[in-house]
Amino acid sequence: MTPENWTYLSQLVRAMRQCGIRGERIGERVAEIADHLEESGADPVAEFGRPIELAERLAVDEKLLPVWARSLVVQLAGMSLAMIGAAVGTPAFFSPAPVTVELGQVLWAVVFGALIMVVGWLGVRHLDGKSWESGFAWWWFPVIILGVWVGQKLQIGLHVALFTATRAVAATVGIVFAAVGLSIASMYSSRVRFPPGAEYLKPLRRGPFSGSSKRP
Amino acid sequence: MVRVARRTDRRGQWLKGLLDLCLLGILSRGEAYGYEIARHLADEGIGEVKGGTLYPALSKLEDAGLVATSWRESESGPNRKYYVITEDGRRVLEEESSAWSSMSEAASRLMKGAHHDA
């Protein structure tokens, strides 16, 4: 397999995952396309289009949600979970007493986190008319912790106690929720478009949760 | 330039409407795999159908139950996916090809009439 074909197929696999195509179907499609490229000797982009375009076409055939909708839903769900972790775990680090988590704190964290995510997403999209990326930025997390703390100080939200836990339990729950939430939110991170042809000269983007890409 | 572009657009539109029937027609002669089907289409004068168009069309036929697939070992490279027409596919091909024959005959008559008038 030529390096260009390998690069194309690797990006196609990632694009199909982002579009929500099942793993088994991804394998079948990639094998078929690899066979076609081997026998025809065609340029993969000229023959099949760019990986994300082909993946979106295949996802339409499978009647899946558009990739932008899937990424938005998954990122919002991931960020909400992470922010609930922040709301639960943050007081454990700043208060010596057992932690009481209130409904208002959780709601404030979820809304604040979602706003940060949407603003960041929209902002990056408008930076460059040719290329854009959507995804999670690490600096959001300390900003959101600050937002949760500010919300607490300003007494924003509903003072309905959800539960009380020791500092250790609250910190553990907070960290676990934050880690799981961030993992889910970063599933659709680093979706990048480039002008035609440029992406096949760039190395694959690697994030902490994006998995490894091994060259043959 | 405009005429060439329009002719290309028109052929593209025709192919869009007929590709699935052409694929069923090729498979009615015997099973074949993706690139083989693309070669048959080109040899029969349909033109070059790129993989980005061909495989989604084959996938739709498979989802509709008009073709079935099987995987076989290839001499080199990954396993190869073979397509074969089903009974439903043969029935649809028969119905649609007679409908197409009627329509294309009518269209040809109209166009010949316009040509003579001109």
Side-chain angles (χ1 to χ4, degrees), chain A residues 149-166:
Chain A
W149 182 76
V150 167
Q152 215 175 354
K153 289 297 173 190
L154 295 176
Q155 299 293 303
I156 296 171
L158 304 170
H159 297 293
V160 176
L162 292 177
F163 64 88
T164 301
T166 62

PDB file of all heavy atoms in Angstrom, chain A residues 149-166:
ATOM      1  N   TRP A 149     -17.096  28.432  40.916  1.00  0.00           N
ATOM      2  CA  TRP A 149     -16.779  29.054  42.204  1.00  0.00           C
ATOM      3  C   TRP A 149     -17.414  30.432  42.298  1.00  0.00           C
ATOM      4  O   TRP A 149     -17.974  30.804  43.337  1.00  0.00           O
ATOM      5  CB  TRP A 149     -15.258  29.138  42.341  1.00  0.00           C
ATOM      6  CG  TRP A 149     -14.776  29.709  43.632  1.00  0.00           C
ATOM      7  CD1 TRP A 149     -14.749  29.094  44.834  1.00  0.00           C
ATOM      8  CD2 TRP A 149     -14.259  31.038  43.832  1.00  0.00           C
ATOM      9  NE1 TRP A 149     -14.235  29.946  45.788  1.00  0.00           N
ATOM     10  CE2 TRP A 149     -13.931  31.141  45.202  1.00  0.00           C
ATOM     11  CE3 TRP A 149     -14.032  32.128  42.999  1.00  0.00           C
ATOM     12  CZ2 TRP A 149     -13.389  32.298  45.738  1.00  0.00           C
ATOM     13  CZ3 TRP A 149     -13.494  33.274  43.547  1.00  0.00           C
ATOM     14  CH2 TRP A 149     -13.179  33.357  44.907  1.00  0.00           C
ATOM     15  N   VAL A 150     -17.336  31.209  41.222  1.00  0.00           N
ATOM     16  CA  VAL A 150     -17.959  32.538  41.202  1.00  0.00           C
ATOM     17  C   VAL A 150     -19.464  32.404  41.409  1.00  0.00           C
ATOM     18  O   VAL A 150     -20.070  33.153  42.181  1.00  0.00           O
ATOM     19  CB  VAL A 150     -17.653  33.251  39.857  1.00  0.00           C
ATOM     20  CG1 VAL A 150     -18.538  34.478  39.679  1.00  0.00           C
ATOM     21  CG2 VAL A 150     -16.186  33.636  39.797  1.00  0.00           C
ATOM     22  N   GLY A 151     -20.058  31.414  40.719  1.00  0.00           N
ATOM     23  CA  GLY A 151     -21.497  31.187  40.872  1.00  0.00           C
ATOM     24  C   GLY A 151     -21.858  30.866  42.305  1.00  0.00           C
ATOM     25  O   GLY A 151     -22.869  31.316  42.839  1.00  0.00           O
ATOM     26  N   GLN A 152     -20.989  30.086  42.949  1.00  0.00           N
ATOM     27  CA  GLN A 152     -21.226  29.739  44.348  1.00  0.00           C
ATOM     28  C   GLN A 152     -21.160  30.974  45.226  1.00  0.00           C
ATOM     29  O   GLN A 152     -21.998  31.201  46.100  1.00  0.00           O
ATOM     30  CB  GLN A 152     -20.145  28.741  44.782  1.00  0.00           C
ATOM     31  CG  GLN A 152     -20.611  27.700  45.753  1.00  0.00           C
ATOM     32  CD  GLN A 152     -19.518  26.695  46.026  1.00  0.00           C
ATOM     33  OE1 GLN A 152     -18.469  26.726  45.398  1.00  0.00           O
ATOM     34  NE2 GLN A 152     -19.744  25.829  46.962  1.00  0.00           N
ATOM     35  N   LYS A 153     -20.160  31.818  44.995  1.00  0.00           N
ATOM     36  CA  LYS A 153     -19.979  33.015  45.818  1.00  0.00           C
ATOM     37  C   LYS A 153     -21.126  33.988  45.627  1.00  0.00           C
ATOM     38  O   LYS A 153     -21.536  34.690  46.542  1.00  0.00           O
ATOM     39  CB  LYS A 153     -18.651  33.713  45.467  1.00  0.00           C
ATOM     40  CG  LYS A 153     -17.413  32.954  45.914  1.00  0.00           C
ATOM     41  CD  LYS A 153     -17.382  32.824  47.414  1.00  0.00           C
ATOM     42  CE  LYS A 153     -16.243  31.935  47.853  1.00  0.00           C
ATOM     43  NZ  LYS A 153     -16.332  31.605  49.274  1.00  0.00           N
ATOM     44  N   LEU A 154     -21.617  34.065  44.404  1.00  0.00           N
ATOM     45  CA  LEU A 154     -22.709  34.993  44.128  1.00  0.00           C
ATOM     46  C   LEU A 154     -24.068  34.403  44.474  1.00  0.00           C
ATOM     47  O   LEU A 154     -25.095  35.020  44.231  1.00  0.00           O
ATOM     48  CB  LEU A 154     -22.683  35.391  42.635  1.00  0.00           C
ATOM     49  CG  LEU A 154     -21.446  36.187  42.190  1.00  0.00           C
ATOM     50  CD1 LEU A 154     -21.491  36.437  40.689  1.00  0.00           C
ATOM     51  CD2 LEU A 154     -21.372  37.519  42.923  1.00  0.00           C
ATOM     52  N   GLN A 155     -24.067  33.185  45.003  1.00  0.00           N
ATOM     53  CA  GLN A 155     -25.303  32.521  45.445  1.00  0.00           C
ATOM     54  C   GLN A 155     -26.296  32.390  44.287  1.00  0.00           C
ATOM     55  O   GLN A 155     -27.489  32.597  44.445  1.00  0.00           O
ATOM     56  CB  GLN A 155     -25.961  33.301  46.584  1.00  0.00           C
ATOM     57  CG  GLN A 155     -25.090  33.416  47.820  1.00  0.00           C
ATOM     58  CD  GLN A 155     -24.888  32.085  48.477  1.00  0.00           C
ATOM     59  OE1 GLN A 155     -25.831  31.412  48.840  1.00  0.00           O
ATOM     60  NE2 GLN A 155     -23.637  31.660  48.620  1.00  0.00           N
ATOM     61  N   ILE A 156     -25.771  32.067  43.123  1.00  0.00           N
ATOM     62  CA  ILE A 156     -26.657  31.896  41.973  1.00  0.00           C
ATOM     63  C   ILE A 156     -27.224  30.480  41.993  1.00  0.00           C
ATOM     64  O   ILE A 156     -26.504  29.522  42.227  1.00  0.00           O
ATOM     65  CB  ILE A 156     -25.875  32.115  40.657  1.00  0.00           C
ATOM     66  CG1 ILE A 156     -25.382  33.548  40.580  1.00  0.00           C
ATOM     67  CG2 ILE A 156     -26.720  31.773  39.430  1.00  0.00           C
ATOM     68  CD1 ILE A 156     -24.436  33.802  39.434  1.00  0.00           C
ATOM     69  N   GLY A 157     -28.491  30.351  41.718  1.00  0.00           N
ATOM     70  CA  GLY A 157     -29.045  29.009  41.550  1.00  0.00           C
ATOM     71  C   GLY A 157     -29.953  28.587  42.685  1.00  0.00           C
ATOM     72  O   GLY A 157     -30.226  29.351  43.619  1.00  0.00           O
ATOM     73  N   LEU A 158     -30.380  27.378  42.582  1.00  0.00           N
ATOM     74  CA  LEU A 158     -31.351  26.827  43.517  1.00  0.00           C
ATOM     75  C   LEU A 158     -30.636  26.201  44.704  1.00  0.00           C
ATOM     76  O   LEU A 158     -29.741  25.382  44.540  1.00  0.00           O
ATOM     77  CB  LEU A 158     -32.197  25.765  42.815  1.00  0.00           C
ATOM     78  CG  LEU A 158     -32.916  26.224  41.547  1.00  0.00           C
ATOM     79  CD1 LEU A 158     -33.515  25.042  40.814  1.00  0.00           C
ATOM     80  CD2 LEU A 158     -34.009  27.217  41.919  1.00  0.00           C
ATOM     81  N   HIS A 159     -31.046  26.597  45.899  1.00  0.00           N
ATOM     82  CA  HIS A 159     -30.399  26.056  47.099  1.00  0.00           C
ATOM     83  C   HIS A 159     -31.136  24.813  47.564  1.00  0.00           C
ATOM     84  O   HIS A 159     -31.690  24.773  48.645  1.00  0.00           O
ATOM     85  CB  HIS A 159     -30.384  27.127  48.197  1.00  0.00           C
ATOM     86  CG  HIS A 159     -29.576  28.327  47.810  1.00  0.00           C
ATOM     87  ND1 HIS A 159     -28.212  28.275  47.642  1.00  0.00           N
ATOM     88  CD2 HIS A 159     -29.956  29.599  47.506  1.00  0.00           C
ATOM     89  CE1 HIS A 159     -27.776  29.470  47.269  1.00  0.00           C
ATOM     90  NE2 HIS A 159     -28.807  30.286  47.175  1.00  0.00           N
ATOM     91  N   VAL A 160     -31.130  23.837  46.685  1.00  0.00           N
ATOM     92  CA  VAL A 160     -31.746  22.545  47.012  1.00  0.00           C
ATOM     93  C   VAL A 160     -30.600  21.554  47.151  1.00  0.00           C
ATOM     94  O   VAL A 160     -29.900  21.269  46.179  1.00  0.00           O
ATOM     95  CB  VAL A 160     -32.703  22.091  45.893  1.00  0.00           C
ATOM     96  CG1 VAL A 160     -33.248  20.707  46.193  1.00  0.00           C
ATOM     97  CG2 VAL A 160     -33.827  23.105  45.716  1.00  0.00           C
ATOM     98  N   ALA A 161     -30.412  21.052  48.352  1.00  0.00           N
ATOM     99  CA  ALA A 161     -29.289  20.139  48.583  1.00  0.00           C
ATOM    100  C   ALA A 161     -29.553  18.805  47.905  1.00  0.00           C
ATOM    101  O   ALA A 161     -30.602  18.187  48.109  1.00  0.00           O
ATOM    102  CB  ALA A 161     -29.077  19.937  50.075  1.00  0.00           C
ATOM    103  N   LEU A 162     -28.621  18.387  47.081  1.00  0.00           N
ATOM    104  CA  LEU A 162     -28.762  17.087  46.411  1.00  0.00           C
ATOM    105  C   LEU A 162     -28.181  15.976  47.285  1.00  0.00           C
ATOM    106  O   LEU A 162     -28.812  14.946  47.478  1.00  0.00           O
ATOM    107  CB  LEU A 162     -28.050  17.111  45.056  1.00  0.00           C
ATOM    108  CG  LEU A 162     -28.684  18.024  43.993  1.00  0.00           C
ATOM    109  CD1 LEU A 162     -27.855  18.014  42.725  1.00  0.00           C
ATOM    110  CD2 LEU A 162     -30.114  17.589  43.705  1.00  0.00           C
ATOM    111  N   PHE A 163     -26.981  16.178  47.764  1.00  0.00           N
ATOM    112  CA  PHE A 163     -26.394  15.197  48.669  1.00  0.00           C
ATOM    113  C   PHE A 163     -25.223  15.839  49.396  1.00  0.00           C
ATOM    114  O   PHE A 163     -24.687  16.876  48.980  1.00  0.00           O
ATOM    115  CB  PHE A 163     -25.945  13.930  47.929  1.00  0.00           C
ATOM    116  CG  PHE A 163     -24.827  14.155  46.931  1.00  0.00           C
ATOM    117  CD1 PHE A 163     -23.496  14.098  47.329  1.00  0.00           C
ATOM    118  CD2 PHE A 163     -25.104  14.425  45.621  1.00  0.00           C
ATOM    119  CE1 PHE A 163     -22.480  14.300  46.417  1.00  0.00           C
ATOM    120  CE2 PHE A 163     -24.087  14.629  44.695  1.00  0.00           C
ATOM    121  CZ  PHE A 163     -22.772  14.575  45.102  1.00  0.00           C
ATOM    122  N   THR A 164     -24.829  15.196  50.498  1.00  0.00           N
ATOM    123  CA  THR A 164     -23.664  15.626  51.277  1.00  0.00           C
ATOM    124  C   THR A 164     -22.682  14.474  51.314  1.00  0.00           C
ATOM    125  O   THR A 164     -23.068  13.319  51.516  1.00  0.00           O
ATOM    126  CB  THR A 164     -24.083  16.000  52.706  1.00  0.00           C
ATOM    127  OG1 THR A 164     -25.058  17.047  52.649  1.00  0.00           O
ATOM    128  CG2 THR A 164     -22.882  16.484  53.513  1.00  0.00           C
ATOM    129  N   ALA A 165     -21.426  14.780  51.102  1.00  0.00           N
ATOM    130  CA  ALA A 165     -20.420  13.724  51.092  1.00  0.00           C
ATOM    131  C   ALA A 165     -19.156  14.240  51.756  1.00  0.00           C
ATOM    132  O   ALA A 165     -18.948  15.451  51.874  1.00  0.00           O
ATOM    133  CB  ALA A 165     -20.123  13.293  49.652  1.00  0.00           C
ATOM    134  N   THR A 166     -18.317  13.306  52.150  1.00  0.00           N
ATOM    135  CA  THR A 166     -17.030  13.721  52.697  1.00  0.00           C
ATOM    136  C   THR A 166     -16.190  14.321  51.575  1.00  0.00           C
ATOM    137  O   THR A 166     -16.485  14.119  50.378  1.00  0.00           O
ATOM    138  CB  THR A 166     -16.282  12.523  53.297  1.00  0.00           C
ATOM    139  OG1 THR A 166     -16.032  11.569  52.229  1.00  0.00           O
ATOM    140  CG2 THR A 166     -17.089  11.836  54.397  1.00  0.00           C
TER     141      THR A 166
END
